[in-house]
């Protein structure tokens, strides 16, 4: 596996710093890229490195019918390898992602206690109900995502029911220990914000540390300046508090 590791701007040899892991699919090819810091940009690598964090971007490869477990099998061993360097405070490991990366974030925290805080923007949480919803931005059924795209299932939910449940954050929520921050726009046309409501209701009922931010009239990504600034600020405060 390949990964990209970005050092804190104020890195000092011998000092252990917190780290934030950012997930999507293949990200190691961003190792030579530079992200302009911005108050309107959440998940911003440079925002975090200039505030004393390592940022880790691991690659994920997938096995059929196991999109969540594939992330587990790639990301967790990679994080453990990074911790072996001694650069990182093992009690200050965060996790974040948006959309498919948010799905992976929400699922990863059900499978390990290595992460001490997580932030997920518009995550898929229930793969069965999600497959039955509509991708409103295009008007197509979300079944397409699961059977011909990122979901990587080789059958419908009723043919692969156990696999859909096994890889759903909501059905594994009882195992979550990390405080989870979730953000949605209530006009999300890619991942219906009911996915967030299902997870919120589940985690609140389980009395787990969980906050759901809802931004009015926003789609899959925040477009209004005031909301972009607000989410970036709240996400930073979330990690600063727990890490």
């Amino acid at each position: 596996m390949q990964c990209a590791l970005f050092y804190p701007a104020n890195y000092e040899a011998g000092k252990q710093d917190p780290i934030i892991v950012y997930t999507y699919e293949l990200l190691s090819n961003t190792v030579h890229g530079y992200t302009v810091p911005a108050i309107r940009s959440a998940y911003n690598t440079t925002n975090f490195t200039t505030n004393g964090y390592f940022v880790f971007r691991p690659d994920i490869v997938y096995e059929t019918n196991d999109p969540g477990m594939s992330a587990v099998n790639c990301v967790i061993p990679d994080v453990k390898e990074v911790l072996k360097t001694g650069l990182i405070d093992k009690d200050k490991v965060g996790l974040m992602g948006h959309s498919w990366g948010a799905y992976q974030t929400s699922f990863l925290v059900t499978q390990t206690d290595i992460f001490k805080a997580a932030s997920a923007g518009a995550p898929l949480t229930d793969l069965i109900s999600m497959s039955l919803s509509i991708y409103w931005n295009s008007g197509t059924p979300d079944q397409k995502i699961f059977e011909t795209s990122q979901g990587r299932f080789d059958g419908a939910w009723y043919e692969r029911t156990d696999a859909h449940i096994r890889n759903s954050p909501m059905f594994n929520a009882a195992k979550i220990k990390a405080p989870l921050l979730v953000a949605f726009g209530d006009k999300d046309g890619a991942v219906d914000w009911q996915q967030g409501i299902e997870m919120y209701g589940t985690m609140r009922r389980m009395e787990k540390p969980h906050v759901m931010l809802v931004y009015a009239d926003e789609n899959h990504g925040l477009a209004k300046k005031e909301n972009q600034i607000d989410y970036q600020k709240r996400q930073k405060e979330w990690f600063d508090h727990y890490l």
Side-chain angles (χ1 to χ4, degrees):
M1 300 303 299
Q2 295 188 118
C3 313
L5 179 65
F6 299 84
Y7 279 57
N10 60 350
Y11 170 72
E12 298 176 20
K15 176 190 172 189
Q16 290 190 323
D17 295 296
I19 190 171
I20 295 180
V21 180
Y22 178 78
T23 66
Y24 196 77
E25 290 193 356
L26 300 177
L27 294 172
S28 64
N29 61 349
T30 66
V31 68
H32 296 300
Y34 177 71
T35 304
V36 177
I39 195 173
R40 296 171 63 172
S41 173
Y43 318 105
N44 185 300
T45 296
T46 310
N47 280 357
F48 286 107
T49 57
T50 55
N51 281 282
Y53 290 91
F54 280 91
V55 174
F56 187 51
R57 291 173 157 236
D59 282 350
I60 300 171
V61 295
Y62 291 89
E63 296 182 2
T64 303
N65 295 320
D66 266 326
M69 293 308 301
S70 295
V72 171
N73 293 335
C74 295
V75 174
I76 295 176
D78 288 343
V79 172
K80 289 180 178 178
E81 284 299 310
V82 172
L83 293 179
K84 289 179 184 178
T85 65
L87 298 170
I88 315 299
D89 185 334
K90 64 179 179 59
D91 293 320
K92 296 182 178 180
V93 181
L95 178 65
M96 65 182 183
H98 182 78
S99 190
W100 188 251
Y103 157 63
Q104 292 168 159
T105 294
S106 300
F107 187 76
L108 280 162
V109 295
T110 71
Q111 301 296 309
T112 180
D113 59 2
I114 200 171
F115 302 109
K116 307 308 177 185
S119 172
L124 297 71
T125 65
D126 178 344
L127 300 192
I128 292 179
S129 66
M130 179 71 191
S131 71
L132 297 171
S133 61
I134 301 295
Y135 197 97
W136 295 110
N137 287 341
S138 64
T140 55
D142 278 324
Q143 295 167 36
K144 185 167 112 175
I145 293 175
F146 290 92
E147 296 180 53
T148 67
S149 182
Q150 287 177 303
R152 298 174 173 87
F153 290 98
D154 63 5
W157 71 267
Y158 50 85
E159 298 170 329
R160 300 289 181 268
T161 305
D162 290 346
H164 279 71
I165 292 173
R166 180 173 66 247
N167 289 277
S168 290
M170 194 192 70
F171 292 114
N172 292 275
K175 295 179 284 187
I176 295 177
K177 294 181 181 178
L180 179 62
L181 175 69
V182 166
F184 263 100
D186 67 1
K187 296 294 188 294
D188 194 323
V191 180
D192 195 307
W193 75 300
Q194 291 293 325
Q195 291 290 301
I197 293 174
E198 285 188 37
M199 193 69 168
Y200 178 81
T202 299
M203 290 192 69
R204 290 288 291 184
R205 180 65 182 83
M206 293 177 176
E207 299 183 342
K208 292 181 177 291
H210 179 52
V211 169
M212 180 177 174
L213 306 174
V214 180
Y215 292 94
D217 301 317
E218 291 279 20
N219 203 309
H220 195 51
L222 300 179
K224 298 176 183 177
K225 178 181 178 180
E226 62 270 25
N227 291 338
Q228 293 170 339
I229 292 173
D230 182 80
Y231 182 41
Q232 186 277 144
K233 180 173 179 286
R234 291 176 186 271
Q235 186 187 68
K236 180 181 181 298
E237 289 174 346
W238 186 261
F239 286 123
D240 285 350
H241 175 74
Y242 286 107
L243 306 185

